[in-house]
Amino acid sequence: MLSFFLFINATVYNLRVLVFIVMLLKIFTLWIYLQQAAACLSEMDQSPLVSVSESTQPFLDAIVKPDLLKHQDRDVKLLVATCICEITRITAPEAPYSDEVLKVCMLYRLN
């Protein structure tokens, strides 16, 4: 009977380790994608062509989602902030987001 409980404890421990590893891989993958996005955005000129602006619109919408803004990993938060800064630079003098979206971004950045 004791060996059964030891087996269950080992299985639960292994599942916890597996979940932790999967979480780390997800964060690392997200970190890599955000790093690539920040690098691409930093190479873009201000006021890009309409076709470029249209093709980047899904990313502009996704980067301000609460899941990314409230992410637990501080490196991910830094990369999200970097992307938002680059987007603001690229779209200047036009605002890339509404005042309400920018307010939410700043509130999440301060926390």
Side-chain angles (χ1 to χ4, degrees), residues 17 22 26 29 54 71 73 90-91 95 101-103 109:
V17 169
V22 168
K26 285 182 179 181
T29 303
E54 289 174 355
H71 202 278
D73 188 74
I90 291 166
T91 58
V101 171
L102 288 174
K103 189 184 302 181
R109 289 291 124 230

Side-chain angles (χ1 to χ4, degrees), residues 1-12:
M1 187 64 132
L2 180 61
S3 62
F4 175 74
F5 287 115
L6 291 175
F7 173 76
I8 295 296
N9 284 341
T11 303
V12 168

Side-chain angles (χ1 to χ4, degrees), residues 38-81:
C40 288
L41 289 169
S42 70
E43 294 174 3
M44 286 180 67
D45 293 330
Q46 191 172 353
S47 301
L49 299 173
V50 174
S51 61
V52 174
S53 296
E54 289 174 355
S55 67
T56 58
Q57 192 59 47
F59 178 76
L60 272 64
D61 296 337
I63 199 72
V64 293
K65 296 288 183 190
D67 293 345
L68 286 176
L69 294 174
K70 295 189 299 185
H71 202 278
Q72 297 297 320
D73 188 74
R74 68 182 196 187
D75 291 332
V76 170
K77 284 183 178 182
L78 176 65
L79 286 168
V80 168

Side-chain angles (χ1 to χ4, degrees), residues 23-43:
M23 287 175 43
L24 284 178
L25 287 174
K26 285 182 179 181
I27 291 172
F28 183 69
T29 303
L30 178 60
W31 183 80
I32 287 173
Y33 286 143
L34 287 171
Q35 192 175 33
Q36 290 174 347
C40 288
L41 289 169
S42 70
E43 294 174 3

